Amino acid sequence: MTTHLKVSICLPTCNRPELIVQCIDSCLAQTYANIEIVIGDDSKDERTRRLIAERYQHDSRVRYLKNEPSLGQARNVASLFARASGDRILLIHDDDYLVDNGIERLLMPWQTYPDLDVVFADQYEVDAKGHVDRAASDRLNADFYRTKQAEGLQIPPGRTGLIQMFPNNGWLADARLVKQISYEEQYGMSCDFVFGVKLCLAAKQVYYLNEYVSYYRKTAVSVSANTRGSMAAASVSAYAFLAGLKLDPALEPARRTALRRIVPIVVSVHAKNGAPLSGFRIALGHPFAYKHGFSLRLYYHLMLLARAALKAGPRRMGGAF
């Protein structure tokens, strides 16, 4: 394993000093030593700043910056990418963490495929206290098409992002490409999904490694969990992005796979938020997402939409056909 390549670990954080220590310590414990940890702190108080100063002030690998004022998710991550000085970039969120040889494992495919742009691997699912649930971990990765059979170069590479095979953190990619794509604030809560799609579409080669390299902490207090049922949900903006994306015809099956997962979620959100006409339009415009009428979920959602329409009345239907 060569060590001349510098890896920038980009770590956005916001109001989670009780979790970030485990994340930072996992980065500092990497078997691959040529790293920097670039931290962008969007916290509303000084707890994280004080913690970093007390615990890591003498470690030059830790580069901390308090965002004043706060930047928000997308701009915080984009600022980290811009500050990164490494040849490769790895993103890890403050409540997640890495296995000790995670970076070393992610670098290995470059030895065989030197033209790689992106490498990603599996994530353990852990609870709020960091306990690994192996069965849930296996299901998590299988749900996103990360299986032994899929290991290797992903052809075409753009398919990887579209079908959500690409994880939201714990990946490793060429720094120049990451900086070129970056995170975009306009996509709201789906900015990480949009980034993954655009990154894989722009990449020459994407590699999936069927090994666990990171820990994904599942909590009930994440921003995505708190917005899941609202019109600010990641699914809503992700659907709009997918529906409007111009793609090569060869990637249309991947778009359909993505929409098959996301359309029923978005229809449900519209029903819950008093926009039944938009919900009807989306549901009826993508019949394949409901197995062309052979899914009970379709009729349940149509019932929810009809109920929302009756409740809203003629002047508050929301959306148009």
Side-chain angles (χ1 to χ4, degrees):
M1 171 67 64
T2 59
T3 58
H4 69 282
L5 292 174
K6 183 178 180 179
V7 174
S8 295
I9 302 172
C10 293
L11 201 174
T13 186
C14 184
N15 300 324
R16 286 198 273 222
E18 71 281 359
L19 296 176
I20 196 174
V21 167
Q22 186 173 18
C23 181
I24 296 174
D25 286 353
S26 77
C27 297
L28 293 174
Q30 290 299 299
T31 54
Y32 188 84
N34 192 3
I35 65 167
E36 65 173 1
I37 305 169
V38 188
I39 302 171
D41 182 10
D42 251 9
S43 301
K44 296 179 180 179
D45 56 39
E46 297 296 309
R47 291 178 300 158
T48 301
R49 189 207 295 265
R50 289 196 297 266
L51 184 151
I52 300 295
E54 292 170 4
R55 191 177 178 98
Y56 304 107
Q57 63 176 323
H58 300 300
D59 197 320
S60 61
R61 294 172 295 175
V62 178
R63 298 175 51 207
Y64 170 85
L65 180 66
K66 180 79 161 66
N67 299 323
E68 295 176 319
S70 299
L71 298 176
Q73 180 187 5
R75 288 198 295 144
N76 192 10
V77 175
S79 73
L80 290 171
F81 292 163
R83 290 168 54 204
S85 64
D87 307 285
R88 303 281 186 267
I89 286 178
L90 181 147
L91 178 68
I92 190 75
H93 295 129
D94 57 0
D95 55 342
D96 302 329
Y97 50 106
L98 301 172
V99 302
D100 290 351
N101 60 350
I103 291 178
E104 184 177 346
R105 291 183 184 182
L106 288 168
L107 282 168
M108 286 178 61
W110 261 281
Q111 296 182 58
T112 305
Y113 303 100
D115 292 330
L116 280 174
D117 286 313
V118 180
V119 177
F120 67 98
D122 295 337
Q123 301 169 300
Y124 286 114
E125 183 175 306
V126 302
D127 63 19
K129 295 182 178 180
H131 300 138
V132 174
D133 185 330
R134 188 56 190 257
S137 302
D138 291 342
R139 287 194 301 271
L140 169 70
N141 291 289
D143 284 347
F144 292 96
Y145 312 101
R146 299 192 287 262
T147 64
K148 183 62 179 176
Q149 293 73 26
E151 187 171 35
L153 288 176
Q154 301 303 299
I155 301 174
R159 173 182 178 274
T160 309
L162 287 165
I163 66 173
Q164 292 180 272
M165 186 178 181
F166 185 74
N168 67 341
N169 70 171
W171 44 262
L172 191 66
D174 179 79
R176 287 173 297 181
L177 186 60
V178 170
K179 291 170 184 279
Q180 173 189 321
I181 304 300
S182 199
Y183 267 48
E184 298 178 75
E185 189 176 22
Q186 70 188 80
Y187 294 109
M189 294 304 305
S190 68
C191 57
D192 51 0
F193 167 69
V194 172
F195 168 80
V197 171
K198 289 187 173 184
L199 182 72
C200 293
L201 286 172
K204 298 187 297 293
Q205 292 184 336
V206 174
Y207 191 96
Y208 161 58
L209 180 69
N210 183 230
E211 296 183 30
Y212 283 98
V213 300
S214 64
Y215 298 87
Y216 165 69
R217 194 187 305 267
K218 197 167 185 179
T219 68
V221 295
S222 67
V223 177
S224 59
N226 291 338
T227 60
R228 188 166 293 139
S230 73
M231 293 300 288
S235 57
V236 176
S237 52
Y239 167 77
F241 168 73
L242 278 171
L245 190 60
K246 292 183 179 180
L247 291 173
D248 185 281
L251 287 169
E252 285 301 335
R255 191 204 312 253
R256 285 173 66 91
T257 297
L259 289 171
R260 194 175 296 119
R261 182 196 298 270
I262 205 170
V263 161
I265 300 171
V266 175
V267 170
S268 177
V269 170
H270 278 78
K272 292 175 182 177
N273 287 275
L277 285 183
S278 295
F280 278 122
R281 176 176 54 80
I282 295 169
L284 300 178
H286 304 86
F288 57 86
Y290 290 99
K291 300 181 181 178
H292 296 279
F294 289 95
S295 169
L296 290 176
R297 196 177 187 185
L298 171 63
Y299 303 103
Y300 174 66
H301 281 172
L302 291 177
M303 180 192 71
L304 290 179
L305 292 167
R307 182 181 298 172
L310 289 172
K311 185 177 180 180
R315 295 185 180 181
R316 298 178 58 201
M317 292 288 281
F321 284 106

